[in-house]
């Protein structure tokens, strides 16, 4: 299956594929996605179906970002689980979600086979208390009975079943992480003078447990051997604190993708769902029609553009003229106002040669000694090798989307619409537990790049992003390197431009 996925994706991203390739991927994995979503036990059935559909739209639109096509199912299931978590806990919407699993550093600590990993997970469940073990075995193995049906057949509250399954899932993740960490530390020991994985490390007395920082380092394979040895001891002993940490997390990561792929990928065969697949393709065509820049196969976009109705094209032209007329009115400010006087503001940073940005503090610290990135001026010229970082501030809680308009005037969705709390936010590399700042790669973007933050009191949908594309195109003609304004429908936009030049070297 991994090889089949890789070949199918290769055809799609090279424009040699067609809609049947999308259908092949959909039918091959839809059952596994449904099972992963169903494990977020507090979702209603209708919400589960919406999450499944949203997962395929999200992943299909980003196929060109996939680093390892042979691990497509891991990215797909990790994304599905993250979307389901977000939908199941709207009060914790700002807790984070692995929105860009294709861009984040891959979780490659284990090279073993999936049957071996499944054995690890089965053994992990056997170490649980009897009632929890019985529920977990029924839900994750064997018949793979869904939580709601388990509750009904055993005359239990769904919440009680869910709590047991959450604990079991955390135990499985912890055990798998322990096996992966043991292999990683063995490799590091052969390369450096470090403590053996099972030796008492020097800082064992410090009570090191899983945390956001430690999990991020482990998932990326960068954990120091001494810390790794301490953490390994906790995980092998089924540390309640570490497992409670995993159970509390409300964001998906690469570890979830691997565990869910072991449990569900390829276990229930293929299935068609023509109605859902048709809806997915309609949404993908809409993205292509709006020029959203989410590449999922140029052939599909080209065919759709050939059939674009003239009436719709005329509507875009009329709407564009209206936006342009509106944009030159005094209400649409020419320059960025202070943060105190506007709902949102945007700021860009770049990493000079020799610097290293590893945390939000490196960007936002007031101390020049801590700041490891330079603030970009509007319109600043940067080399193509520059790494950019983005921050934005909100006066109050709002729905936010972050966009990049490339020199060819296509849009890249850097952060999907989500409600954000007041204050300063840094665009992060989702899939890293500590919120490592996301490095925007500027290779292949020679010319003017416009970065924009859209803020709204109401949820932002695809139509709103389409409006923003027209707004940014009109303003691009005016060559203003930064600005902000309110182009209607209770939307606010703050933007900044940088110019990328082809030659290397410091600007």
């Amino acid at each position: 299956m991994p090889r089949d996925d890789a070949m199918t994706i290769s055809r799609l991203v090279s424009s040699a594929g067609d809609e049947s390739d999308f259908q092949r991927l959909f039918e091959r994995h839809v059952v596994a996605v449904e099972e992963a979503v169903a494990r977020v036990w507090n979702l209603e059935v209708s919400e589960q179906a919406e999450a499944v559909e949203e997962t395929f739209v999200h992943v299909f639109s980003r196929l060109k970002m996939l680093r390892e096509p042979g691990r497509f199912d891991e990215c797909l299931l990790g994304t599905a689980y993250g979307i389901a978590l977000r939908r199941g806990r709207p009060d914790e919407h700002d807790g984070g979600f692995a929105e860009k699993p294709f861009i984040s550093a891959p979780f490659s600590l284990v090279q073993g086979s999936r049957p071996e990993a499944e054995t690890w997970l089965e053994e992990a469940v056997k170490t649980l208390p009897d009632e929890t073990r019985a529920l977990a075995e029924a839900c994750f193995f064997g018949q793979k009975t869904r939580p709601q049906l388990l509750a009904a057949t055993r005359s239990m509250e769904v919440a009680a079943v869910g709590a047991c399954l959450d604990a079991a899932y955390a135990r499985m993740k912890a055990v798998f992480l322990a096996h992966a960490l043991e292999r990683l530390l063995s490799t590091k020991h052969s390369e450096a003078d470090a403590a053996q994985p099972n030796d008492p490390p020097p800082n064992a007395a410090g009570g090191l447990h899983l945390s956001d920082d430690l999990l991020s380092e482990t998932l990326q394979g960068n954990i120091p051997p001494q810390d790794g040895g301490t953490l390994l001891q906790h995980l092998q002993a089924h540390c309640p604190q570490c497992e409670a940490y995993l159970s509390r997390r409300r964001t998906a990561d690469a570890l979830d993708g691997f565990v869910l792929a072991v449990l569900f990928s390829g276990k229930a065969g293929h299935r068609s769902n023509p109605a859902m697949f048709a809806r997915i393709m309609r949404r993908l065509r809409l993205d292509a029609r709006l020029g959203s820049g989410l590449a999922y196969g140029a052939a599909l976009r080209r065919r759709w553009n050939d059939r674009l109705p003239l009436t719709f094209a005329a509507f875009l032209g009329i709407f564009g003229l209206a936006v342009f007329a509106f944009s030159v009115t005094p209400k649409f400010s020419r320059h960025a106002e202070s943060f105190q006087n506007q709902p949102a503001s945007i700021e860009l940073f770049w990493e000079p040669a020799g610097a290293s940005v590893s945390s939000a503090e490196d960007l936002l610290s007031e101390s020049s000694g801590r700041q490891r990135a330079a603030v970009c001026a509007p319109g600043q010229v940067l080399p193509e090798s520059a790494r950019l970082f983005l921050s934005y501030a909100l006066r109050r809680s709002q729905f936010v989307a972050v966009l990049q308009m490339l020199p060819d005037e296509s849009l890249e969705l850097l952060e999907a619409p989500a409600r954000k709390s007041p204050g300063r936010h840094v665009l992060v590399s989702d899939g890293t537990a500590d919120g490592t700042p996301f490095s925007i790669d500027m290779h292949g973007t020679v010319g003017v790049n416009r970065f924009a933050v859209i803020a709204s009191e109401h949820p932002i949908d695809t139509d709103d992003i389409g409006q923003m594309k027209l707004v940014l195109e009109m303003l691009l003609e005016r060559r203003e390197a930064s600005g902000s304004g309110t182009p209607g429908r209770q939307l606010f936009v703050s933007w900044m431009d940088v110019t990328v030049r082809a030659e290397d070297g410091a600007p």
Side-chain angles (χ1 to χ4, degrees):
M1 182 182 297
R3 180 175 176 81
D4 292 340
D5 287 344
M7 294 176 63
T8 302
I9 293 169
S10 177
R11 287 195 299 271
L12 288 170
V13 300
S14 66
S15 304
D18 54 27
E19 188 169 306
S20 64
D21 287 311
F22 286 108
Q23 186 170 6
R24 190 173 296 107
L25 288 173
F26 171 79
E27 294 180 354
R28 186 181 295 159
H29 296 288
V30 64
V31 175
V33 171
E34 289 173 345
E35 294 297 335
V37 167
R39 267 54 193 180
V40 181
W41 50 269
N42 56 344
L43 277 184
E44 299 293 336
V45 174
S46 60
E47 293 176 309
Q48 292 178 14
E50 291 173 358
V52 171
E53 185 175 320
E54 184 179 348
T55 296
F56 279 100
V57 172
H58 181 90
V59 174
F60 281 171
S61 67
R62 290 159 174 79
L63 288 180
K64 281 192 174 180
M65 302 179 190
L66 183 58
R67 288 180 173 180
E68 299 181 63
R71 298 172 65 184
F72 170 76
D73 58 346
E74 296 174 35
C75 290
L76 184 69
L77 296 182
T79 300
Y81 192 64
I83 288 175
L85 286 175
R86 184 180 63 183
R87 284 178 169 267
R89 297 168 176 85
D91 56 323
E92 302 177 32
H93 196 273
D94 293 331
F97 161 56
E99 189 71 42
K100 294 183 282 294
F102 305 105
I103 302 173
S104 306
F107 179 55
S108 56
L109 302 183
V110 173
Q111 302 299 328
S113 64
R114 289 188 179 176
E116 179 185 20
E118 186 170 12
T119 299
W120 297 345
L121 301 182
E122 290 175 341
E123 292 175 349
V125 166
K126 292 178 181 178
T127 64
L128 294 164
D130 290 344
E131 182 179 39
T132 303
R133 174 189 54 75
L135 290 171
E137 288 178 340
C139 183
F140 296 111
F141 304 97
Q143 297 298 315
K144 301 186 186 299
T145 307
R146 296 186 177 183
Q148 292 82 359
L149 184 57
L150 271 178
T153 57
R154 301 187 182 220
S155 301
M156 297 176 64
E157 294 290 336
V158 175
V161 172
C164 291
L165 296 179
D166 285 347
Y169 186 68
R171 173 66 58 86
M172 287 190 289
K173 286 181 67 174
V175 167
F176 175 78
L177 188 59
H179 283 281
L181 185 56
E182 186 172 19
R183 294 190 177 188
L184 173 67
L185 294 177
S186 297
T187 301
K188 284 182 175 289
H189 177 71
S190 64
E191 298 174 350
D193 184 17
Q196 289 285 351
N198 292 319
D199 292 342
N203 59 350
L208 189 69
H209 296 277
L210 267 179
S211 65
D212 287 350
D213 290 341
L214 204 56
L215 180 58
S216 175
E217 291 176 339
T218 305
L219 291 178
Q220 297 181 67
N222 296 327
I223 187 170
Q226 293 182 353
D227 290 347
T230 304
L231 176 60
L232 180 59
Q233 289 184 334
H234 286 305
L235 297 176
Q236 289 176 330
H238 305 312
C239 172
Q241 182 172 330
C242 291
E243 292 181 9
Y245 163 81
L246 290 173
S247 182
R248 288 194 304 269
R249 296 194 76 231
R250 294 300 178 243
T251 179
D253 52 44
L255 181 59
D256 290 290
F258 193 95
V259 171
L260 291 167
V262 170
L263 292 173
F264 300 118
S265 185
K267 300 296 175 62
H270 300 188
R271 193 183 70 224
S272 63
N273 187 332
M276 178 180 287
F277 180 72
R279 289 193 300 270
I280 291 169
M281 298 312 294
R282 282 198 298 269
R283 290 177 62 179
L284 287 173
R285 291 188 183 106
L286 178 60
D287 283 343
R289 187 171 64 186
L290 293 174
S292 64
L294 304 180
Y296 53 82
L300 178 63
R301 179 174 299 180
R302 183 172 57 252
R303 288 196 304 275
W304 176 254
N305 288 339
D306 290 342
R307 295 178 295 180
L308 181 67
L310 293 177
T311 54
F312 182 78
F315 168 77
L316 286 183
I318 294 171
F319 180 79
L321 291 175
V323 170
F324 179 73
F326 183 81
S327 70
V328 297
T329 63
K331 185 177 180 182
F332 204 98
S333 58
R334 281 182 167 273
H335 301 286
E337 303 172 2
S338 66
F339 173 51
Q340 289 75 17
N341 297 324
Q342 62 185 30
S345 62
I346 187 172
E347 193 168 22
L348 294 173
F349 303 84
W350 65 282
E351 187 180 69
S356 177
V357 175
S358 59
S359 70
E361 290 183 353
D362 293 339
L363 299 179
L364 305 181
S365 174
E366 296 295 332
S367 169
S368 59
R370 285 297 303 274
Q371 188 164 310
R372 300 178 185 175
V375 179
C376 289
Q380 182 164 350
V381 179
L382 296 170
E384 193 176 3
S385 58
R387 298 174 63 209
L388 287 187
F389 303 89
L390 188 148
S391 170
Y392 58 90
L394 302 176
R395 289 185 62 191
R396 56 186 177 274
S397 177
Q398 290 187 302
F399 289 92
V400 172
V402 181
L403 306 172
Q404 176 185 1
M405 175 175 277
L406 299 169
D408 63 0
E409 297 189 2
S410 63
L411 287 189
E412 185 74 30
L413 187 62
L414 299 179
E415 184 170 80
R419 179 175 285 281
K420 298 292 181 179
S421 58
R424 178 67 68 176
H425 298 267
V426 173
L427 192 66
V428 300
S429 295
D430 300 310
T432 59
D434 62 347
T436 303
F438 174 57
S439 171
I440 304 172
D441 186 1
M442 304 308 295
H443 281 96
T445 65
V446 174
V448 177
N449 288 259
R450 172 156 292 179
F451 296 88
V453 172
I454 304 173
S456 173
E457 299 292 340
H458 303 288
I460 299 172
D461 57 22
T462 307
D463 291 335
D464 296 322
I465 295 175
Q467 290 185 35
M468 285 301 97
K469 174 174 170 57
L470 293 173
V471 170
L472 295 174
E473 286 175 345
M474 296 301 175
L475 294 176
L476 188 63
E477 296 177 0
R478 293 164 53 183
R479 303 301 178 188
E480 294 186 350
S482 66
S484 60
T486 308
R489 289 194 64 180
Q490 298 179 311
L491 292 172
F492 181 87
V493 59
S494 177
W495 78 88
M496 179 181 291
D497 294 349
V498 296
T499 300
V500 177
R501 56 181 172 82
E503 59 269 22
D504 293 331

